[in-house]
Amino acid sequence: MEKKFYCSHFSTVTFLFISFEIFSSNMSMAQKMAPIPVRIGLVLDMNNYLGEMGLNCISMALSDFYATHDHYKTRLLLVNRDSKGDVVGAAAAAVDLMKNVEVQAIIGPLYSVQANFMINLGDKTQVPIITFSATSPSLSSIRTPYFIRATLNDSSQVQATSAIIQAFGWREVVLIYMDNEFGEGIIPYLTDALERVNARVSYRSVIPSLATDDQIVAELYKLMTMQTRVFILHIMISLGSRIFTKAKELGMMSEEYVWIITDGMTNELKSMDPLVIESMLGVIGVKPYIPKTKELDFFTIRYKKMLQQNNPTVLSPDLNIFGLWAYDATVALAMAVEEARLTDDRLQKENNSRNSTDLEALGKSRTGPKLVHALSRTAFGGLAGNFQLVDGQLQSPPYEIVNVVGPGVRVIGYWTKENGIVKELNVTDSETNTYFNSKTSLGSTIWPGDKTSPPKGWVNPTNGKKLRIGVPLKDGFTEFIRVTWNPDNSTEVTGHCIDVFDAVMAALPYAVPYEYIPFATSNHKNAGTHNDLVYQVYLRNYDAVAGDVTIVANRSQYVDFTLPFTESGVSMVVPIKDVKSKNAWAFLKPLTWELWLTSFCSFVFIGILIWILEHRINEDFRGPLWHQVGVVFWFAFSTMVFAHKERVISNLARIVLIIWFLMVLILTQSYTASLTSMLTVQKLQPTVIDVNELIRNREYVGYQEGSFVLGMLKIMKFDETRLLAYNSVEECNDLFSKGSGNGGISAAFDEIPYIELFLAKYCSKYTMVGPTYKTDGFAFVFPIGSPLVPDVSRAILYVTEGDKMVGIEKKWLGDKTKCPDSTNLLTSNNLGLESFWGLFLVVGVAAISAFIIHVIRFLHEHWHVIVDSNPESTILSKVMELLHRFDSRDLEAHTFKNTYLTDRYNTDGDAAERVITSSHENLQQTPSNFSQASPPPANSPASTVFSNQCHTEQNISMCKYFRKEEEHSTENARIKEEIVLPANTNGEQETSPSSI
């Protein structure tokens, strides 16, 4: 029994011991495996739907995250504080969380106006401040690394907004924004973006965040009186809803208005009252693009279901992007806390006195730097898109461009940094470098007033403010500016410059009311020079100047000029005179000396070439030396009038002469025409062409009174006492008529527009000569920095390139085509070598080619002379032999081939016979031929044969000559040339062919 009891007692004790050990082990393991809580503060407005949505999304984010990451060793422990919707409440909540709860990070606040103080606290305590809804660009993360913006900076949307303005060509906009941190922060960035697309902000409408309906209506009435109808609103939804409701009541949602809202309202359109949405028909908005994913759809369904379970009877607003950013920020913080291995650490307190304030008693977080570093490295695909922080800020995604239509909104396009405005957002778009910025890239758009065509963006203003346009008062040259006073003291301003200014202002993409105010004294006299008028713009007495004001460097120091609308430059006008040639040597003037010299050399060259080609085969080009020289020059120059008598036998010479006759014909006809023009047509030349001649001779020179040309003439060293002023075209003509030294002038200097007007009236008496001194022409004057200057300059280009400018000039300055260009009268009639070098080139090529062919043929025929192997032959002897053969007749030529001479003598002294037979080709003989020939001896058989030949052949002239010689003297009838060759084997003597 005892043993049994003992055993039972032992077993019980053992069981209890083992159970205690197991319990102790489990307790220690439980303590070892428990997650580490990390305290995170929440500063939200619990009375605002945005605060409630943020809290719900944050709670769902933690639940979803740790459900899939249960192995994490850290857990975020949320400590919530209500900011009560104001700056003080948010600051008090942050101080409480840092001092009493000692949180490791704070999520919040909701609004930018609450964030500034909290950011400074976070920087002091090294506690990261993470916001998912404070978007003002003034809250810069660069100032402190402990401010994390898990939302988009408002400045990231300004390029998308300005791209819409540029796409539709609107040039002026009105900015409407709140007078707080949220509203004012974006304005500098938005203004700069608009300036980059050549749009300016004409007015800034600042509305108090707590404005009453009366204040809103008063501001809208002010906007109605302005000409600009393009409004960009950067307003929170609570104030924006009231503005659009009042705008609808005032008729400002009609077809002439353009309303563009930023993402401050666009992100929350689904949360607005349907009645307000209805009043916003035609509004354009931009908002960040949210990719459509299954995770987002599933979360949206869960979120709505949770709201219905918590408040079944309350209609809660839809989920928007701020809730998604709250969800993603919470997930990023949980991941960063785990990566930084944070513990439940306390803030490190500093030793402070008892009288220190709560702010001075705040400690510093030792884990803050690690947490900030971990957050900067965190990247994942969130519900709102890719989550990645750069310099403490969320990176900007593409933007959607939406259009409010009926009860909802419709996406009409997208904007990306890489491609600008596009209709569809494709992945391949970012791979191209094409940037689109056209309204055609947007889908169909409904505008206010239920219109489909975009408004022009401006109307004529009703506030009565007009630009004061100063105009100069001129006594002359009223074609440019003419001021007329009516009996009621009102003025009427007309002229070329005024018509151009009116056309330019009408071409602007917006209306600019203006009125002309003459620059005159109370008694309607000129109040000063053009320089004085320009200076009045600098003094703000005029808003602009329209007139014949030239762009000059010293004037540009005080005002801005538009692009010029007239020709530029200053030139000289002088009288013209008839300088018809009347001297004895006028016949030499049609050709320049270069052409005369070239023509003379060409004639001589052709004469020598023809002599070379014809000398061996043509009796006309043979004979004594000086006879041949005379023939060369006679033949060459007689071709000028086609009076040559010599026949040309060589085909090479004939080819050369055909081309030469063509050139001679063209040259002579051109000479005749030019000489006729010089002797008969009126030729006008300026009396003076050199400015230095005027200065050197101290001639009197004219200039327009009040013009800057006077200063130019002084700089050019003209004697000031020799400068005379004129006020009109007629006065200038009178001064020229008087002449220099008689109270008149020899030349006048003026700007080209005035000179053209002067010449249009007196084109037959004067001309414009000399260099043109560069100026930039007439332009319109505006104050320095005026936003109208670029727009007016573009409008000037539009007007001057069209037909309207031609009509204005013809109306005021006359038709320039009626007056011939005086510069045409000053051109020289001299013909130069440059007009005929082509002809000379053709003749030269033909002549040289013929010469080369002739030389080759001659050398080929006498090649045996060159290759003569006689050791006594030298180069000189061979050359002389070739020259001798060239000087002799070419008996192989067809001109000599059929002419033969037979002389026979018998041994006893009786004359055998001499027979001369002439071919039909050589009928026409010259006296030189006869000097070479010898008649047969009288009473000889040859004489009988010769006599018979005269009756049978056609060579009658030669026969007559021989008969005359026979009658004069029988003893003189002997052979003139006889060369007795060595006796042949028969003992007979032969006559050399060379004696023929």
Side-chain angles (χ1 to χ4, degrees):
M1 185 70 180
E2 291 180 357
K3 184 176 181 181
K4 183 177 180 180
F5 174 79
Y6 175 77
C7 292
S8 176
H9 179 71
F10 178 77
S11 298
T12 303
V13 173
T14 303
F15 174 76
L16 293 173
F17 178 76
I18 293 174
S19 299
F20 178 75
E21 288 294 330
I22 294 173
F23 176 77
S24 299
S25 177
N26 290 337
M27 290 295 294
S28 62
M29 290 180 63
Q31 292 178 355
K32 184 181 294 185
M33 298 301 295
I36 302 172
V38 178
R39 294 180 300 279
I40 302 297
L42 290 179
V43 179
L44 304 173
D45 184 4
M46 296 307 169
N47 294 325
N48 184 287
Y49 83 95
L50 187 59
E52 294 179 0
M53 180 178 61
L55 180 60
N56 292 331
C57 290
I58 290 172
S59 300
M60 294 179 68
L62 292 179
S63 176
D64 295 343
F65 182 78
Y66 287 121
T68 57
H69 299 81
D70 56 352
H71 60 284
Y72 273 25
K73 297 179 180 180
T74 57
R75 294 291 186 273
L76 299 187
L77 179 62
L78 300 179
V79 181
N80 187 22
R81 293 290 185 271
D82 188 1
S83 66
K84 299 180 181 179
D86 59 20
V87 177
V88 177
V95 172
D96 177 60
L97 290 172
M98 293 180 183
K99 179 181 179 183
N100 301 323
V101 183
E102 300 186 66
V103 294
Q104 305 280 339
I106 294 178
I107 298 178
L110 289 180
Y111 306 114
S112 300
V113 293
Q114 301 170 331
N116 256 331
F117 184 73
M118 289 183 60
I119 292 173
N120 293 327
L121 286 180
D123 186 50
K124 177 178 176 62
T125 60
Q126 296 184 357
V127 174
I129 306 298
I130 305 169
T131 180
F132 60 87
S133 58
T135 59
S136 175
S138 62
L139 306 176
S140 176
S141 300
I142 299 176
R143 294 186 301 177
T144 169
Y146 297 100
F147 173 56
I148 306 298
R149 195 199 301 269
T151 182
L152 292 179
N153 191 326
D154 279 339
S155 62
S156 62
Q157 64 183 316
V158 297
Q159 294 186 40
T161 305
S162 62
I164 298 174
I165 300 297
Q166 185 181 23
F168 288 96
W170 297 315
R171 308 309 300 273
E172 290 189 351
V173 300
V174 172
L175 300 183
I176 304 175
Y177 57 94
M178 302 172 64
D179 64 345
N180 58 16
E181 195 83 21
F182 167 78
E184 296 172 351
I186 193 178
I187 299 305
Y189 301 90
L190 184 56
T191 303
D192 292 343
L194 292 172
E195 289 180 353
R196 284 193 290 269
V197 297
N198 297 321
R200 72 183 187 96
V201 178
S202 60
Y203 180 71
R204 298 184 182 184
S205 177
V206 184
I207 299 179
S209 56
L210 301 176
T212 63
D213 289 348
D214 291 340
Q215 289 177 308
I216 294 175
V217 170
E219 189 65 25
L220 291 177
Y221 270 125
K222 185 186 298 184
L223 298 179
M224 290 177 65
T225 62
M226 300 179 182
Q227 68 173 10
T228 305
R229 289 294 185 263
V230 181
F231 303 133
I232 300 178
L233 278 76
H234 185 60
I235 301 287
M236 296 184 67
I237 187 173
S238 57
L239 182 58
S241 301
R242 297 166 57 201
I243 291 177
F244 279 107
T245 301
K246 295 301 180 183
K248 178 70 174 178
E249 295 175 359
L250 297 177
M252 296 181 68
M253 299 302 297
S254 60
E255 56 181 316
E256 61 186 23
Y257 289 89
V258 178
W259 296 86
I260 301 175
I261 57 176
T262 61
D263 62 1
M265 286 189 66
T266 312
N267 287 330
E268 302 185 56
L269 286 176
K270 294 182 179 180
S271 304
M272 295 178 65
D273 188 341
L275 295 177
V276 178
I277 293 293
E278 185 179 351
S279 67
M280 295 175 62
L281 178 65
V283 172
I284 302 296
V286 294
K287 68 175 184 176
Y289 169 71
I290 302 176
K292 306 299 181 183
T293 61
K294 294 181 179 179
E295 292 80 5
L296 177 59
D297 294 338
F298 181 64
F299 176 77
T300 303
I301 295 172
R302 289 172 50 222
Y303 179 80
K304 292 181 178 180
K305 187 179 297 185
M306 182 194 68
L307 293 181
Q308 291 177 358
Q309 291 175 355
N310 295 338
N311 301 292
T313 60
V314 178
L315 182 61
S316 301
D318 292 335
L319 178 67
N320 62 33
I321 195 171
F322 293 109
L324 302 181
W325 280 331
Y327 185 99
D328 291 344
T330 305
V331 173
L333 182 59
M335 297 173 65
V337 166
E338 180 68 20
E339 181 182 348
R341 300 181 181 276
L342 298 188
T343 60
D344 188 11
D345 198 6
R346 302 284 178 176
L347 298 182
Q348 186 177 1
K349 305 290 183 179
E350 296 181 358
N351 295 327
N352 296 309
S353 62
R354 293 181 179 180
N355 296 327
S356 60
T357 62
D358 290 342
L359 297 180
E360 294 174 339
L362 297 177
K364 283 189 176 182
S365 173
R366 290 173 293 185
T367 59
K370 292 194 298 180
L371 181 57
V372 169
H373 180 68
L375 280 169
S376 64
R377 298 174 55 186
T378 301
F380 61 95
L383 295 180
N386 294 328
F387 186 95
Q388 184 178 6
L389 298 174
V390 176
D391 294 331
Q393 301 199 59
L394 191 65
Q395 291 303 287
S396 174
Y399 272 83
E400 287 182 343
I401 303 175
V402 299
N403 184 208
V404 179
V405 288
V409 297
R410 181 168 58 90
V411 178
I412 59 175
Y414 301 88
W415 178 89
T416 65
K417 292 181 180 179
E418 297 79 12
N419 303 109
I421 297 177
V422 293
K423 285 186 178 180
E424 299 293 338
L425 190 62
N426 299 320
V427 178
T428 56
D429 289 344
S430 60
E431 299 176 358
T432 63
N433 295 325
T434 305
Y435 190 90
F436 303 96
N437 202 14
S438 172
K439 60 183 178 182
T440 58
S441 299
L442 294 173
S444 59
T445 307
I446 301 298
W447 299 95
D450 201 14
K451 300 296 182 180
T452 57
S453 58
K456 61 181 179 180
W458 58 270
V459 295
N460 291 323
T462 60
N463 58 5
K465 184 179 180 181
K466 297 182 179 180
L467 292 180
R468 294 167 50 88
I469 309 299
V471 293
L473 189 64
K474 299 179 69 68
D475 296 330
F477 294 97
T478 55
E479 291 84 355
F480 291 97
I481 291 288
R482 179 179 298 165
V483 179
T484 305
W485 268 268
N486 298 320
D488 59 353
N489 207 33
S490 62
T491 58
E492 181 180 354
V493 183
T494 57
H496 171 266
C497 298
I498 299 304
D499 281 3
V500 173
F501 187 80
D502 291 339
V504 168
M505 300 307 286
L508 291 176
Y510 46 84
V512 178
Y514 58 90
E515 59 180 345
Y516 294 114
I517 301 178
F519 184 52
T521 60
S522 57
N523 57 351
H524 302 170
K525 298 297 182 181
N526 191 357
T529 63
H530 283 53
N531 287 338
D532 299 330
L533 176 58
V534 169
Y535 194 69
Q536 294 300 311
V537 177
Y538 174 75
L539 298 177
R540 302 290 178 172
N541 293 328
Y542 293 108
D543 298 315
V545 169
D548 52 346
V549 180
T550 305
I551 302 174
V552 183
N554 63 339
R555 294 173 180 173
S556 64
Q557 298 177 4
Y558 304 98
V559 294
D560 278 348
F561 288 95
T562 63
L563 290 178
F565 58 89
T566 62
E567 293 183 70
S568 61
V570 174
S571 191
M572 178 173 65
V573 177
V574 297
I576 53 178
K577 60 181 179 180
D578 185 11
V579 290
K580 188 186 300 181
S581 298
K582 298 178 181 179
N583 58 69
W585 301 100
F587 68 93
L588 295 176
K589 291 185 177 181
L591 306 183
T592 60
W593 69 268
E594 294 93 346
L595 186 56
W596 277 116
L597 180 61
T598 304
S599 301
F600 176 80
C601 294
S602 300
F603 277 103
V604 174
F605 172 72
I606 291 298
I608 295 174
L609 177 65
I610 299 301
W611 177 84
I612 293 174
L613 298 178
E614 296 288 323
H615 178 65
R616 301 185 68 238
I617 63 175
N618 193 339
E619 291 292 344
D620 290 347
F621 291 88
R622 301 186 61 81
L625 175 62
W626 289 109
H627 172 75
Q628 296 185 51
V629 171
V631 168
V632 168
F633 282 92
W634 160 256
F635 180 84
F637 288 97
S638 64
T639 59
M640 183 167 54
V641 292
F642 307 101
H644 58 286
K645 299 298 182 179
E646 292 78 10
R647 288 194 311 151
V648 176
I649 299 174
S650 170
N651 288 332
L652 291 177
R654 290 171 177 174
I655 294 174
V656 172
L657 285 178
I658 290 173
I659 301 175
W660 171 252
F661 288 155
L662 176 64
M663 195 203 78
V664 170
L665 177 64
I666 295 174
L667 188 62
T668 54
Q669 294 298 320
S670 300
Y671 172 84
T672 304
S674 180
L675 181 61
T676 302
S677 174
M678 284 186 173
L679 297 178
T680 60
V681 179
Q682 183 184 36
K683 184 179 179 183
L684 304 177
Q685 291 286 354
T687 56
V688 180
I689 59 174
D690 189 6
V691 176
N692 294 323
E693 181 181 350
L694 294 173
I695 300 174
R696 185 170 51 254
N697 297 334
R698 300 184 74 246
E699 299 284 353
Y700 284 90
V701 172
Y703 68 93
Q704 187 180 167
E705 186 173 3
S707 173
F708 70 96
V709 175
L710 174 61
M712 290 184 59
L713 296 177
K714 292 179 179 179
I715 295 175
M716 294 166 64
K717 307 299 183 181
F718 276 95
D719 188 351
E720 191 171 353
T721 61
R722 300 279 173 166
L723 301 179
L724 302 179
Y726 55 86
N727 286 316
S728 64
V729 171
E730 293 74 17
E731 286 188 21
C732 183
N733 179 56
D734 292 341
L735 289 176
F736 274 119
S737 301
K738 294 178 181 179
S740 181
N742 298 320
I745 57 177
S746 299
F749 287 83
D750 214 332
E751 297 177 75
I752 290 179
Y754 300 115
I755 293 177
E756 291 180 345
L757 181 63
F758 178 76
L759 295 179
K761 189 172 183 179
Y762 301 105
C763 60
S764 61
K765 299 172 60 177
Y766 308 99
T767 186
M768 181 170 60
V769 296
T772 299
Y773 301 95
K774 181 66 177 177
T775 61
D776 288 328
F778 295 164
F780 303 125
V781 180
F782 288 89
I784 291 180
S786 173
L788 288 174
V789 172
D791 291 342
V792 173
S793 295
R794 293 185 187 92
I796 288 175
L797 294 177
Y798 175 79
V799 172
T800 55
E801 292 175 358
D803 296 333
K804 192 173 186 63
M805 191 66 176
V806 177
I808 294 174
E809 290 183 348
K810 185 177 294 186
K811 173 184 176 182
W812 292 102
L813 306 182
D815 190 357
K816 297 180 182 179
T817 60
K818 294 181 179 179
C819 184
D821 188 359
S822 60
T823 57
N824 296 333
L825 303 175
L826 308 179
T827 56
S828 174
N829 289 324
N830 291 358
L831 299 176
L833 181 61
E834 63 277 359
S835 302
F836 299 96
W837 70 268
L839 284 174
F840 283 107
L841 178 63
V842 173
V843 172
V845 171
I848 294 174
S849 300
F851 175 76
I852 294 174
I853 294 174
H854 180 73
V855 171
I856 293 175
R857 288 172 55 184
F858 176 78
L859 293 178
H860 180 266
E861 293 175 4
H862 301 85
W863 190 251
H864 63 279
V865 177
I866 299 176
V867 297
D868 185 11
S869 59
N870 188 352
E872 296 182 359
S873 299
T874 62
I875 296 177
L876 179 61
S877 64
K878 293 179 179 181
V879 171
M880 295 301 296
E881 178 63 20
L882 290 175
L883 292 177
H884 175 72
R885 290 175 180 267
F886 173 77
D887 187 52
S888 63
R889 294 182 179 86
D890 184 7
L891 297 180
E892 297 297 327
H894 67 278
T895 54
F896 299 126
K897 185 174 295 184
N898 295 329
T899 301
Y900 59 90
L901 176 66
T902 305
D903 295 325
R904 293 180 179 177
Y905 301 92
N906 51 17
T907 56
D908 55 356
D910 295 329
E913 63 176 324
R914 182 170 182 166
V915 180
I916 299 177
T917 303
S918 298
S919 65
H920 180 69
E921 293 87 350
N922 200 23
L923 292 178
Q924 298 295 330
Q925 298 292 331
T926 63
S928 61
N929 296 340
F930 301 144
S931 64
Q932 300 287 335
S934 299
N939 302 321
S940 65
S943 175
T944 303
V945 174
F946 190 88
S947 177
N948 294 333
Q949 187 70 18
C950 292
H951 297 289
T952 58
E953 301 294 336
Q954 298 179 7
N955 199 351
I956 300 174
S957 59
M958 182 179 290
C959 294
K960 290 181 178 180
Y961 173 79
F962 283 127
R963 287 175 177 174
K964 186 176 181 179
E965 289 293 323
E966 184 178 3
E967 293 174 356
H968 282 101
S969 177
T970 55
E971 56 267 20
N972 291 333
R974 59 185 180 86
I975 299 175
K976 299 294 184 182
E977 295 180 8
E978 184 178 31
I979 300 175
V980 180
L981 300 178
N984 57 13
T985 55
N986 296 325
E988 299 176 352
Q989 289 183 340
E990 296 181 356
T991 304
S992 173
S994 61
S995 64
I996 298 176

